[in-house]
Amino acid sequence: MIDRKETIIDCATRLFAEHGLDNVTIRQICARAKVNIAMVNYHFTNKEGLYRACLARVFHKSQGESFRTLCDGVCDAKSWREAVRRWVVGFAEAMHATTGGAALAAGLFRQEVSHPSSERTFIAREYVEPTRDILKRLLSMALKDEREVLHWTTSIWAQL
């Protein structure tokens, strides 16, 4: 049996990653998912609710979740360098992915950076800040000056 809710999320995620929240209509999503508008309202209340469901799926399934454990076990300079390297490589790969869930996460992220939606505060709080804070936490293990930690965190984040 086809799970209509999952089909809606799949179709909406692809459309949002390609065009952004504000440039996609519920009608377009429903046409692609082959469902009626009432299904979206029933499962998600509105387009923003559907968008949040899409974000939750791709960001929880993407590389981003694995960042949470990078600080675990850092006990010396070698393990610190390895953790920072894994963060940088993992984030770069996630932001430049061209296939799979990571590509959808990257597309959603790029859409929000270039065309911020009404959900930008939610996205920042739920997905961007936790990932950036892990890098900040790693850098604060080696740098004691808070301004220097913020400088390097911002610099690395911006370059990626």
Side-chain angles (χ1 to χ4, degrees):
M1 180 174 184
I2 297 173
D3 185 340
R4 301 258 187 246
K5 183 177 179 181
E6 296 301 314
T7 300
I8 294 167
I9 293 173
D10 289 341
C11 294
T13 301
R14 293 179 193 292
L15 286 168
F16 291 142
E18 291 173 25
H19 306 288
L21 173 65
D22 296 331
N23 295 318
V24 175
T25 67
I26 292 293
R27 288 189 189 284
Q28 291 170 313
I29 295 165
C30 291
R32 185 167 293 183
K34 297 182 173 82
V35 299
N36 64 43
I37 293 172
M39 292 290 289
V40 172
N41 293 331
Y42 175 76
H43 289 295
F44 308 102
T45 307
N46 56 30
K47 185 168 76 166
E48 288 73 18
L50 172 56
Y51 189 61
R52 286 183 178 204
C54 295
L55 293 167
R57 175 183 290 165
V58 299
F59 286 114
H60 286 293
K61 286 187 176 180
S62 72
Q63 177 84 11
E65 279 297 296
S66 66
F67 289 126
R68 290 191 178 153
T69 60
L70 283 178
C71 296
D72 298 349
V74 174
C75 58
D76 56 23
K78 182 179 178 182
S79 61
W80 178 84
R81 278 192 300 276
E82 177 59 21
V84 171
R85 186 194 68 74
R86 286 179 41 218
W87 190 98
V88 169
V89 169
F91 190 77
E93 288 174 350
M95 287 300 99
H96 300 287
T98 57
T99 60
L104 293 172
L108 290 166
F109 185 80
R110 283 191 297 269
Q111 286 295 330
E112 284 296 329
V113 168
S114 60
H115 309 290
S117 75
S118 58
E119 297 297 303
R120 68 185 169 276
T121 302
F122 170 80
I123 293 165
R125 182 182 68 245
E126 295 296 317
Y127 305 111
V128 174
E129 291 170 8
T131 303
R132 188 192 60 224
D133 288 349
I134 292 164
L135 175 62
K136 184 178 172 185
R137 186 170 158 215
L138 281 168
L139 294 175
S140 68
M141 291 176 181
L143 305 167
K144 299 307 174 201
D145 182 340
E146 182 65 24
R147 289 182 316 173
E148 194 172 358
V149 170
L150 291 174
H151 168 78
W152 283 106
T153 302
T154 303
S155 178
I156 292 167
W157 182 269
Q159 290 180 51
L160 294 171

